[in-house]
Amino acid sequence: MLSELFMGRVYKALNHKGYRSEDFSIIHYDASSKDVKQSVVLTIKYRYKEEFFISSRVLNSTFEYIKISPGRIMQFDVKSQVGAQEFLNTISDWIETLDNYFSNDPISRNLLKTQEKIDQLERRLNETLGDLEDEFRDDEIHLLKEQLNNIEKELTEKLNQQIQDQEVLQTKVEELHRDLQILRNQVGPLNKKNWLLSYYTKAYLWNQDNPSFLPKSLLHIGHKFLPENIQNTISTEFIDSAVDSLLPQPDEEKSKTKQK
């Protein structure tokens, strides 16, 4: 079995980054056999989420293998043939990974939710527009870029009305300018369907932090540039419903207001 001295060092290593050894369950047992002597299995589990663990086999005072969950990049990390001090360092590194996981988990969930909603919009546009590959004509490119310039002025003015903090305002205005510049640059290189997807994706992101930021009239941009037969198939009401499904709902807006 492992010595009390070494197990004391294990418990000490678990007291890291605000975590305590009591947050973990530790099991170690003799796995020696006729063929394999002085073999011990040592498993450390995070008590509140047991799929997070370190599992190891100690053979003749050397850690023959260590399996770690979660890993830094992969779901599992694996080490082999390491000494006692490296094992203790592995515990500290693992707790750092746990701390990062719990700190970033809400961010990861929000990013996944955003990705799912954008995927949903892309599916709806693809279902409706089908194999539309129409490109913008030169006159349409000129007109659409003018409209984007007007949108930037309108939304910049709205930001000035909504945000009092000058530093935050400057950041938001610069982000908006970059987004609109990308959209201006994409008119022409992207076909009409893909440009609309890019535009509505940015519309969703604009409204994430500023609910109801985008006037309803601006959701219809691009509709007039679709072929006439497509315009007849896709009403502006479809655009409203498709994009509305992405925008924060009233309950979400109230929740954000309360959090502020």
Side-chain angles (χ1 to χ4, degrees), residues 87-102:
F87 176 76
L88 296 172
N89 292 341
T90 298
I91 292 176
S92 299
D93 291 343
W94 175 60
I95 292 178
E96 295 269 359
T97 302
L98 290 185
D99 194 54
N100 289 333
Y101 173 87
F102 290 116

Side-chain angles (χ1 to χ4, degrees), residues 11-24 46-48 52 91-92 94-103:
Y11 285 114
K12 185 176 180 180
L14 290 169
N15 291 309
H16 182 59
K17 297 288 288 186
Y19 292 82
R20 297 178 179 274
S21 59
E22 291 82 3
D23 293 322
F24 304 88
Y46 184 57
R47 193 178 298 278
Y48 317 112
F52 291 169
I91 292 176
S92 299
W94 175 60
I95 292 178
E96 295 269 359
T97 302
L98 290 185
D99 194 54
N100 289 333
Y101 173 87
F102 290 116
S103 298

Side-chain angles (χ1 to χ4, degrees), residues 58-95:
V58 190
L59 180 62
N60 296 327
S61 299
T62 298
F63 287 82
E64 189 178 26
Y65 76 83
I66 309 171
K67 186 175 182 180
I68 308 153
S69 171
R72 288 187 170 184
I73 298 176
M74 306 295 286
Q75 183 177 357
F76 301 104
D77 282 344
V78 177
K79 295 183 177 183
S80 59
Q81 301 299 320
V82 304
Q85 186 57 53
E86 186 174 349
F87 176 76
L88 296 172
N89 292 341
T90 298
I91 292 176
S92 299
D93 291 343
W94 175 60
I95 292 178

Side-chain angles (χ1 to χ4, degrees), residues 198-209:
S198 178
Y199 177 78
Y200 290 128
T201 297
K202 288 180 174 54
Y204 168 68
L205 296 174
W206 293 335
N207 274 277
Q208 261 197 322
D209 294 330

Side-chain angles (χ1 to χ4, degrees), residues 29-33 36-41 57-60:
Y29 59 87
D30 189 348
S32 301
S33 65
V36 182
K37 295 183 178 181
Q38 295 185 335
S39 175
V40 175
V41 171
R57 181 185 181 94
V58 190
L59 180 62
N60 296 327

